[in-house]
Amino acid sequence: MSHEPEHHPLNFPFTTRKWLSAAILMIAGALQTLTLSPFYLWWLGPLSVFMILLITVNQAPEKLFRSGWLVGLGLFASGASWIYVSISEHGNTSIPLAIALMVVFIAGLALFHGLAFWFWGKLTKSSAPRRLLLFPAIWILSDWLRGWLLTGFPWLYLGTAHTDGPLGGLAPITGVHGITFWITTTAVAIYGAWWLTQSGRKVSASAVTVAALLPWFIAPALKATDWTELGKEPLSFAAMQGNIPQQIKWDPDFLRDQIVTYLGMTEPYWETDLILWPETAIPIPQDQAGPVIEHIREKLGENSTLITGIPWYGYSSQTEDYTFHNSIMAIGKGEGMYHKQKLVPFGEYVPLEGLLRGLIGFFDLPMSSFSPGPKDQSPLASSGMNITPYVCYEVAYPDFAAINARNTELLLTISNDGWFGDSIGPLQHLQIARMRALETGRYMLRGTNNGVTAIIDHKGQITERIPQFQRAVLTGEFYTATGNTPYMQTGSWPVLTLALILIVFVRERVIPAN
């Protein structure tokens, strides 16, 4: 049988011009970055996907890998090029080499889109209607795969834009992947309705349009629904943003000064219910920080807890050796130590360490020899409440965050986004934390070295924040929460299962010739 895509009324001349179609695909990818912080143009999401469909729905299967890769290139070049700051400014790498490494990083991430579109073409070689039906499923599975393969890069998901968009009400039910699924479904429905209209089937086109737009009107009402129950009394909170320059963060000559800085900033707040210092605010391992920890215990009020980032060094039963962890600990009225599980490649560990160490400065960053913490760690505790901690990058993993948040009353994340300077990376990171609060119906307390330090409520809205790149203290109140949202109960599995069902039943079945 023929494998040429069938003709339909939505063929456009520009789809046959390689340079123009390539430009449109890259622009479509870049528009997705504009849906996210700090731009918040969430309505560009369906438009971006619609532009992609204009080029790809009728494209020959062998061309779809290139098309998908170009979409990914536009997305990651616009949305993740902040990696250059950490490579160049903090990795002691020359500008040409830093640019080359950034390009490799972006081009490599774009392969996820390329492979997804290639798979899409393999499943539907000749049927445009089938391609339309399968597109949301392929997109979601690609996002999910990118979120865990090779430690994962769960960043720049379309659904994250709806912390401030109308589909945000779906977050406690379906999670971020469910929102992304409906964004792509909306674009498919608009394309399909246009096609049906051109074919004279206006009634069918109207029905498809109504079905696609319905969740956009229902979801805002769902956002007002309380899936969890907040505590009746607020608790006081103070977070210290030290704004320690990254260049001196691990310099032995400045370690004592950093600790003194945080102690001085905390002096008026020792009686606060919960005090938060950022990632590795105590820049020496816990086995050497005994006097500092004891001093904090002595200063804290009777009902106060201080939670801080601190490296941990000791014997690990997991590795059966002495190892470093990037950790967070509770002191005072609280207790517990949590070791970060999701490590950042090259920043916290070096893949293929034996081959790469020593080649360039970027492969020898300070504290890039951490080991991942064990699974199923206990939450931190403070004055009878259980707290789910996330260290930096961990908050970007939606299912990981939701599962760990079960049966705890508060979310807390610490970070040091100084690696990314004055780029959009830290602002994207903040929005991701907001989505986790919205998905779980819990307050998220966020402490960072140089911003953005914030209190995020159970609806994903920021109630208090302090500016970036300032040494300042954030104060405010938060509430605990009980109960689990539907998304916390199921994770992304309902959406992923739906995607797999679509693939199984909609894919094109090629009948072999006799």
Side-chain angles (χ1 to χ4, degrees):
M1 63 181 294
S2 172
H3 293 319
E4 288 299 315
E6 64 184 24
H7 174 81
H8 64 76
L10 295 188
N11 279 322
F12 296 95
F14 60 75
T15 62
T16 60
R17 299 175 184 172
K18 286 186 178 181
W19 68 269
L20 186 55
S21 61
I24 291 172
L25 289 170
M26 291 186 67
I27 290 170
L31 288 180
Q32 295 181 18
T33 294
L34 296 180
T35 68
L36 303 165
S37 179
F39 311 104
Y40 300 109
L41 303 177
W42 54 263
W43 51 271
L44 288 176
L47 176 61
S48 165
V49 177
F50 182 80
M51 290 169 62
I52 293 167
L53 292 172
L54 284 178
I55 304 295
T56 59
V57 166
N58 276 339
Q59 218 167 37
E62 61 269 16
K63 295 181 180 179
L64 283 173
F65 174 85
R66 174 180 174 271
S67 294
W69 185 78
L70 288 169
V71 171
L73 203 62
L75 172 62
F76 296 115
S78 61
S81 55
W82 39 256
I83 192 70
Y84 170 83
V85 179
S86 60
I87 297 173
S88 176
E89 296 185 15
H90 305 300
N92 300 316
T93 304
S94 66
I95 292 176
L97 183 55
I99 292 174
L101 290 173
M102 179 189 69
V103 169
V104 170
F105 173 74
I106 290 169
L109 285 174
L111 290 175
F112 282 101
H113 284 72
L115 290 171
F117 278 54
W118 170 83
F119 185 53
W120 185 39
K122 286 292 184 181
L123 291 173
T124 54
K125 292 185 177 181
S126 64
S127 173
R130 291 181 188 273
R131 279 197 181 174
L132 286 172
L133 289 172
L134 281 180
F135 187 84
I138 297 298
W139 192 281
I140 287 303
L141 290 175
S142 174
D143 275 359
W144 174 77
L145 185 67
R146 175 163 59 86
W148 67 264
L149 188 65
L150 301 176
T151 73
F153 187 71
W155 213 271
L156 302 177
Y157 290 151
L158 269 173
T160 305
H162 284 261
T163 52
D164 303 283
L167 294 181
L170 298 177
I173 304 172
T174 68
V176 69
H177 290 314
I179 298 175
T180 301
F181 186 90
W182 203 258
I183 293 169
T184 54
T185 297
T186 299
V188 164
I190 293 172
Y191 186 102
W194 189 11
W195 178 10
L196 290 169
T197 300
Q198 296 296 316
S199 303
R201 289 174 280 181
K202 294 183 179 180
V203 174
S204 298
S206 298
V208 168
T209 302
V210 170
L213 295 179
L214 197 59
W216 293 81
F217 293 99
I218 295 175
L222 290 173
K223 199 167 184 178
T225 302
D226 290 323
W227 299 96
T228 56
E229 183 176 352
L230 297 185
K232 295 181 179 180
E233 296 295 330
L235 297 170
S236 58
F237 174 67
M240 288 67 205
Q241 183 171 288
N243 198 33
I244 306 297
Q246 193 61 37
Q247 291 83 352
I248 68 170
K249 177 68 181 174
W250 300 106
D251 190 328
D253 294 335
F254 292 95
L255 297 185
R256 182 180 181 280
D257 291 344
Q258 294 180 51
I259 296 171
V260 170
T261 293
Y262 280 106
L263 288 172
M265 295 176 69
T266 311
E267 191 60 38
Y269 304 100
W270 291 114
E271 299 294 329
T272 305
D273 291 322
L274 185 59
I275 303 165
L276 183 61
W277 290 4
E279 183 179 9
T280 58
I282 299 177
I284 53 177
Q286 98 295 341
D287 63 333
Q288 301 174 25
V292 177
I293 295 170
E294 190 57 36
H295 177 75
I296 292 172
R297 285 199 180 101
E298 292 173 358
K299 296 287 286 185
L300 281 167
E302 183 178 351
N303 295 309
S304 301
T305 299
L306 186 145
I307 295 178
T308 180
I310 184 172
W312 183 93
Y313 179 75
Y315 184 80
S316 169
S317 57
Q318 183 182 14
T319 62
E320 297 183 347
D321 198 359
Y322 285 88
T323 189
F324 275 103
H325 291 300
N326 188 358
S327 303
I328 181 171
M329 72 179 301
I331 307 169
K333 188 67 173 178
E335 61 179 13
M337 172 78 75
Y338 171 79
H339 305 310
K340 184 178 182 182
Q341 299 179 54
K342 304 288 188 179
L343 301 183
V344 180
F346 304 107
E348 293 174 315
Y349 81 99
V350 178
L352 304 174
E353 184 174 12
L355 297 175
L356 298 179
R357 284 285 189 196
L359 289 180
I360 58 174
F362 182 61
F363 298 144
D364 295 297
L365 292 172
M367 305 307 291
S368 58
S369 298
F370 285 122
S371 297
K375 297 180 180 179
D376 302 321
Q377 298 180 61
S378 299
L380 302 180
S382 174
S383 300
M385 64 177 166
N386 290 322
I387 303 172
T388 302
Y390 310 105
V391 180
C392 190
Y393 194 55
E394 290 184 316
V395 80
Y397 293 82
D399 288 283
F400 173 83
I403 291 171
N404 284 310
R406 292 173 183 168
N407 304 314
T408 62
E409 290 80 50
L410 179 68
L411 310 182
L412 181 147
T413 180
I414 58 172
S415 185
N416 177 20
D417 288 346
W419 290 107
F420 308 112
D422 189 14
S423 70
I424 62 176
L427 301 178
Q428 293 171 347
H429 202 183
L430 172 64
Q431 189 176 28
I432 289 169
R434 292 176 57 201
M435 178 54 72
R436 300 294 89 84
L438 183 56
E439 289 169 336
T440 59
R442 279 158 171 71
Y443 269 69
M444 171 79 77
L445 306 180
R446 188 169 194 261
T448 69
N449 172 45
N450 65 340
V452 180
T453 298
I455 299 174
I456 304 167
D457 70 14
H458 62 303
K459 299 295 184 180
Q461 299 304 304
I462 296 172
T463 63
E464 301 286 348
R465 65 184 289 173
I466 50 179
Q468 286 181 288
F469 315 116
Q470 292 185 18
R471 182 167 293 177
V473 177
L474 177 145
T475 60
E477 295 180 333
F478 67 92
Y479 290 84
T480 58
T482 54
N484 295 327
T485 64
Y487 177 64
M488 292 170 66
Q489 302 280 10
T490 64
S492 297
W493 285 111
V495 177
L496 296 174
T497 300
L498 175 59
L500 291 172
I501 289 172
L502 283 170
I503 287 174
V504 170
F505 289 100
V506 178
R507 65 187 173 87
E508 186 177 357
R509 294 165 178 80
V510 179
I511 301 174
N514 292 329

